Amino acid sequence: MIRLIYHYVFYTKKQRVFILLLCLIILFLSLLIYDNTPFYEQQLYKDLENLYYHQSTQRLYLWFLPFLYEMILMDHDQPFMKPFDVYFGKDYVLASKIFFYVCVLIWVTWIFMIFYHLIPYILTDYYEIYLIYELFFINLFLDGLLLLIITFLCVRLKYQAFSFMIPIFYMLYSFVLEDIHHPMLYLLFPIFLPLESFKSLEFFYKICYIFTGFTLLFIQNLKNKH
């Protein structure tokens, strides 16, 4: 069954769209960081250059990747999967879909993490890899899991056209969190903000939030059996 989902997701027109989007993000990153200044100037201001690159690129990723995640997740409720509910059981089908899409989110995030480091390493003389920035991709992946949960809970085949309202809401909510620094807003929907300092308590809260979301998915699945 997972193989069928894989073929449906990656052997349709979406494969071309994904490759096109990947090429676009590489192009944007290349244009963003291209610097023809001499080597000594890049070394002189390398801290500022690194800070500018990380902040700009993280902002670009936070605007772009949620839409890519949603483009992949929106097809979770397809007619060809319905017979599997009878043959394998709804819980098994739901668990298989969650496992597949989590693996895809890991894979997509990993690809963009590689380009995040590789492109500036090749094109500039100032870039340095800091492990602390890997936390950004961990949080980005966790935000992808939040999108997965919301999509599985709210988006069905007949409402598929409205699925991109979810990443739009994600972007608008991030703008609100940046302007209104109120902890209750984060507690309602704990998305990552790149300009905020990382706190381990927030990280564990988001993990608990995600596990609660997965629990709701199986509760909803249990209700649909009856």
Side-chain angles (χ1 to χ4, degrees):
M1 186 184 67
I2 292 178
R3 185 178 298 177
L4 286 175
I5 301 174
Y6 171 81
H7 280 273
Y8 181 82
V9 172
F10 290 104
Y11 284 86
T12 59
K13 293 180 180 179
K14 285 189 176 182
Q15 184 185 42
R16 299 175 185 175
V17 175
F18 178 78
I19 295 174
L20 176 62
L21 291 175
L22 183 60
C23 293
L24 285 176
I25 196 70
I26 293 172
L27 177 62
F28 282 135
L29 282 179
S30 301
L31 293 175
L32 180 68
I33 66 172
Y34 178 73
D35 193 351
N36 59 354
T37 56
F39 171 79
Y40 69 89
E41 287 190 17
Q42 293 190 37
Q43 289 296 308
L44 182 62
Y45 301 107
K46 67 178 182 179
D47 291 336
L48 290 176
E49 296 280 6
N50 273 288
L51 181 62
Y52 170 76
Y53 169 75
H54 287 297
Q55 290 185 350
S56 302
T57 308
Q58 287 181 17
R59 178 66 63 193
L60 178 65
Y61 273 28
L62 285 173
W63 288 348
F64 170 79
L65 277 183
F67 288 92
L68 180 59
Y69 287 157
E70 191 61 34
M71 187 187 74
I72 296 170
L73 296 170
M74 63 188 292
D75 286 325
H76 75 95
D77 185 43
Q78 290 299 316
F80 78 89
M81 298 182 189
K82 302 301 181 184
F84 293 122
D85 292 341
V86 178
Y87 189 78
F88 293 107
K90 287 191 173 183
D91 288 338
Y92 177 82
V93 172
L94 177 61
S96 298
K97 289 197 295 185
I98 290 174
F99 174 78
F100 170 78
Y101 283 108
V102 168
C103 290
V104 171
L105 291 181
I106 293 173
W107 177 68
V108 171
T109 307
W110 179 72
I111 287 177
F112 281 92
M113 182 181 69
I114 290 176
F115 284 110
Y116 180 91
H117 294 300
L118 184 62
I119 294 175
Y121 182 79
I122 294 174
L123 296 181
T124 69
D125 295 314
Y126 62 79
Y127 185 71
E128 294 180 351
I129 297 177
Y130 297 99
L131 293 179
I132 190 172
Y133 288 109
E134 306 308 324
L135 294 174
F136 166 72
F137 289 97
I138 295 174
N139 277 283
L140 195 62
F141 167 70
L142 294 178
D143 284 1
L145 293 183
L146 292 175
L147 294 178
L148 182 151
I149 292 167
I150 296 173
T151 303
F152 273 51
L153 284 172
C154 303
V155 177
R156 292 293 179 263
L157 183 62
K158 59 181 179 179
Y159 302 121
Q160 198 175 45
F162 298 99
S163 60
F164 282 104
M165 294 300 296
I166 297 174
I168 291 174
F169 166 78
Y170 175 92
M171 287 181 57
L172 294 177
Y173 200 79
S174 67
F175 294 150
V176 172
L177 283 178
E178 288 180 359
D179 292 335
I180 306 174
H181 298 280
H182 198 288
M184 283 303 299
L185 292 175
Y186 182 84
L187 292 176
L188 288 174
F189 191 53
I191 62 175
F192 176 68
L193 296 176
L195 300 181
E196 297 292 327
S197 59
F198 176 78
K199 299 180 180 64
S200 58
L201 184 61
E202 294 177 358
F203 176 80
F204 288 113
Y205 173 75
K206 184 181 287 189
I207 295 292
C208 294
Y209 197 97
I210 290 169
F211 274 104
T212 303
F214 283 131
T215 303
L216 289 176
L217 283 178
F218 282 97
I219 292 174
Q220 182 191 61
N221 199 49
L222 183 63
K223 290 181 178 180
N224 291 336
K225 290 181 180 179
H226 305 291

